[in-house]
């Protein structure tokens, strides 16, 4: 984003999701959105309906990963791949992530990567 330390990010809220249904996030892609906002700089907001219903375990895993790695509004980001079918980035040199159906795995270098969370068209790794 343009000014991530001041950004509040969200996938849906009471105006867009739930029974309102205005300007909904693309159906079936919500967890890709959460993989992005919960690993990137900014202040992510999780929609109550998502956090306490069918996405609860996946969202909880991503929130735990964010807290464990101390990702915050001023975390650094390095975009490592941005193509039509995949977006990938490394955050604070501690977390690597990818969204989309395309292939990506973080390169081994100074750190080794362990797959921490994965779901439909997203994966998140932690440096070990």
């Amino acid at each position: 984003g343009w000014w991530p330390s001041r950004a509040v990010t969200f996938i849906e809220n009471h105006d867009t999701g739930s029974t309102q249904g205005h300007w909904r996030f693309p159906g079936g892609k919500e967890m890709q959105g959460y993989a992005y906002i919960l690993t990137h700089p900014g202040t992510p907001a999780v929609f109550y309906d998502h956090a306490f219903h069918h996405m609860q375990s996946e969202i909880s895993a991503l929130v735990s990963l964010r807290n464990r790695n101390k990702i915050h509004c001023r975390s650094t980001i390095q975009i490592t791949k941005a193509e039509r079918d995949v977006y990938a980035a490394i955050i604070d040199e501690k977390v690597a992530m990818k969204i989309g159906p395309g292939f990506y795995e973080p390169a081994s270098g100074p750190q080794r990567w362990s797959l921490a969370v994965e779901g439909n068209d997203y994966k998140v790794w932690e440096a070990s």
Side-chain angles (χ1 to χ4, degrees):
W2 181 73
W3 198 1
S5 67
R6 300 290 186 253
V8 175
T9 54
F10 67 95
I11 302 304
E12 288 187 333
N13 65 22
H14 64 277
D15 290 327
T16 61
S18 193
T19 58
Q20 295 288 330
H22 301 297
W23 312 290
R24 293 191 77 109
F25 197 80
K29 307 263 187 219
E30 294 90 346
M31 282 311 305
Q32 289 180 53
Y34 281 115
Y36 180 91
I37 70 170
L38 291 170
T39 60
H40 279 59
T43 303
V46 177
F47 185 36
Y48 180 92
D49 289 6
H50 294 164
F52 295 103
H53 293 97
H54 61 284
M55 297 178 214
Q56 183 176 9
S57 63
E58 288 179 273
I59 290 172
S60 293
L62 289 168
V63 169
S64 293
L65 178 133
R66 182 181 182 89
N67 291 335
R68 194 169 49 249
N69 288 283
K70 297 179 174 61
I71 296 171
H72 54 85
C73 66
R74 288 189 166 85
S75 289
T76 61
I77 180 169
Q78 175 190 5
I79 298 170
T80 54
K81 193 170 188 179
E83 297 177 0
R84 183 183 58 77
D85 64 345
V86 66
Y87 166 87
I90 295 176
I91 300 85
D92 286 343
E93 298 181 8
K94 296 187 257 180
V95 171
M97 61 80 67
K98 80 102 177 171
I99 56 175
F103 177 79
Y104 172 81
E105 286 191 10
S108 292
Q111 65 269 82
R112 299 176 63 89
W113 297 99
S114 300
L115 185 62
V117 184
E118 70 177 314
N120 186 31
D121 290 337
Y122 76 92
K123 289 185 180 182
V124 183
W125 297 262
E126 288 180 278
S128 49

